[in-house]
Amino acid sequence: MTAVTESRPIAEPTVAKRIRSWILNPWGEPRGMVVVTWIYVAVSIVPVIVAILFSFNAGRSVTTWQGFSLTRWYLDDPRSSVIGDPRLQHALLQSLKLAGLTMLIATPLGVMLALGLARWRGRLASASNFIMLFPLVTPELVMGVSLFLVFTKLFDFIPLGTTAQVLGHVTFSLSYVVVIVRGRLFSIGRQYEEAAADLGATPWETLRLVVLPLLLPAIFSSLMMVFAISIDDFVISAWLSCGSSCDTVPIRVYSSTRGAPLPSINALATVMVAMTLTAIGIAWVVHRYLTRGERTNGRSGAGGGMGKAMGGGFDL
């Protein structure tokens, strides 16, 4: 007896089933997380793009598109552009001043603290590490109020203004430098210091000729990170401000949007976004350049890449 099987057409999956199968995909990559990530990126970036777009609006509205103008709210308008409004200019210069001073103070201090905390052994080491990382987990509003009370009640000889703002920015950005530099220290280990000591180098020579060149990518990344964090800060800058003469760009943007904002505020915010992205981009490019030997190390053998990353033409 021969069994005759009839060929039945296979039903095509519906569009909904295809999308569900693509998202779940139990036997492949977790595409659901990819979808969630791109949704988050879109929700985060689209408002920024819209704000940047209205900085090129030909009219005075920040909600109705009235034509395209490339330079009106940046250069051309004699009273309301970023260049024409002295208040916007002062806010931009104040933000750059605070960011520059914070970079110059916080980065060297953070590097020294990272070196000390990474090499410190003792009972107080864990407590010191926790205190150093405490600003990272403290809400910025709490940090701003605390610094305000410090400079008005405890250290009242330091007036509110640029000096207090710089000290406040250094206080909360120092931890970022320590985290970045310590991560670099732990990744390179202590073998290079020990090798330099075995070859007769003094501790100062080891620090200057071995450790600091190896830390250079992390130091530069910390420098740019501090710049990006400081120039965008609002809470601490606002709490430690002395008035309109100490307003930064975030403070000026906030105070202007509470009234009748002009596209020049969008233009000023766009300048800030461009500066932040430029700083992060420079940090990434320089880090890639300074660590190019280490990436080659995995392909060409051990030691040679790290030796080139230290700036010398030798192999370790």
Side-chain angles (χ1 to χ4, degrees):
M1 182 176 180
T2 305
V4 179
T5 58
E6 297 181 358
S7 60
R8 297 179 180 179
I10 301 175
E12 291 291 332
T14 62
V15 176
K17 289 184 177 180
R18 289 180 180 178
I19 295 176
R20 183 174 180 274
S21 176
W22 184 87
I23 293 176
L24 296 178
N25 191 23
W27 309 111
E29 298 178 355
R31 293 172 178 169
M33 295 301 298
V34 175
V35 173
V36 173
T37 302
W38 279 108
I39 292 175
Y40 170 77
V41 170
V43 171
S44 303
I45 292 180
V46 168
V48 178
I49 295 176
V50 172
I52 293 174
L53 180 63
F54 273 93
S55 70
F56 300 102
N57 193 7
R60 300 174 67 87
S61 174
V62 293
T63 58
T64 303
W65 185 253
Q66 298 170 309
F68 181 81
S69 176
L70 183 61
T71 58
R72 176 181 178 181
W73 302 109
Y74 292 90
L75 302 171
D76 295 343
D77 195 290
R79 298 180 59 185
S80 301
S81 64
V82 175
I83 297 298
D85 191 340
R87 297 174 301 174
L88 301 184
Q89 290 185 36
H90 179 77
L92 184 59
L93 292 176
Q94 180 72 5
S95 292
L96 291 173
K97 182 196 301 184
L98 293 180
L101 292 174
T102 304
M103 289 166 57
L104 296 178
I105 298 173
T107 305
L109 288 177
V111 171
M112 290 187 288
L113 282 172
L115 288 169
L117 292 174
R119 300 296 184 251
W120 189 10
R121 296 293 181 269
R123 296 180 178 180
L124 296 178
S126 299
S128 301
N129 286 322
F130 174 77
I131 294 174
M132 178 52 56
L133 299 179
F134 189 73
L136 295 177
V137 298
T138 303
E140 193 173 2
L141 182 60
V142 175
M143 180 71 70
V145 174
S146 302
L147 290 171
F148 173 78
L149 294 176
V150 165
F151 289 117
T152 55
K153 303 298 182 182
L154 185 60
F155 300 143
D156 53 358
F157 58 89
I158 300 177
L160 296 179
T162 301
T163 303
Q165 287 175 328
V166 170
L167 293 176
H169 285 207
V170 170
T171 300
F172 81 88
S173 62
L174 196 63
S175 299
Y176 293 91
V177 181
V178 173
V179 169
I180 295 173
V181 175
R182 283 189 66 190
R184 176 69 175 172
L185 277 170
F186 291 142
S187 68
I188 62 179
R190 301 193 61 173
Q191 61 269 25
Y192 300 104
E193 300 176 56
E194 295 171 355
D198 291 340
L199 294 174
T202 63
W204 169 247
E205 290 174 338
T206 301
L207 176 65
R208 182 171 59 88
L209 299 176
V210 178
V211 178
L212 289 181
L214 289 173
L215 291 180
L216 191 58
I219 294 173
F220 190 83
S221 299
S222 302
L223 196 72
M224 292 294 100
M225 183 65 69
V226 169
F227 176 84
I229 293 172
S230 176
I231 203 171
D232 289 339
D233 179 74
F234 169 73
V235 176
I236 294 178
S237 298
W239 275 102
L240 302 180
S241 176
C242 60
S244 59
S245 61
C246 299
D247 281 355
T248 60
V249 170
I251 297 175
R252 176 59 57 184
V253 171
Y254 174 76
S255 60
S256 298
T257 52
R258 291 171 63 88
L262 292 173
S264 57
I265 295 299
N266 294 47
L268 185 63
T270 302
V271 172
M272 291 289 295
V273 171
M275 287 183 178
T276 303
L277 293 179
T278 301
I280 299 300
I282 292 174
W284 182 81
V285 171
V286 172
H287 186 274
R288 293 278 298 179
Y289 175 78
L290 293 176
T291 58
R292 65 194 185 281
E294 298 177 35
R295 294 192 303 275
T296 308
N297 185 26
R299 300 190 298 269
S300 60
M306 186 63 76
K308 294 178 182 178
M310 294 172 60
F314 56 87
D315 291 338
L316 294 175

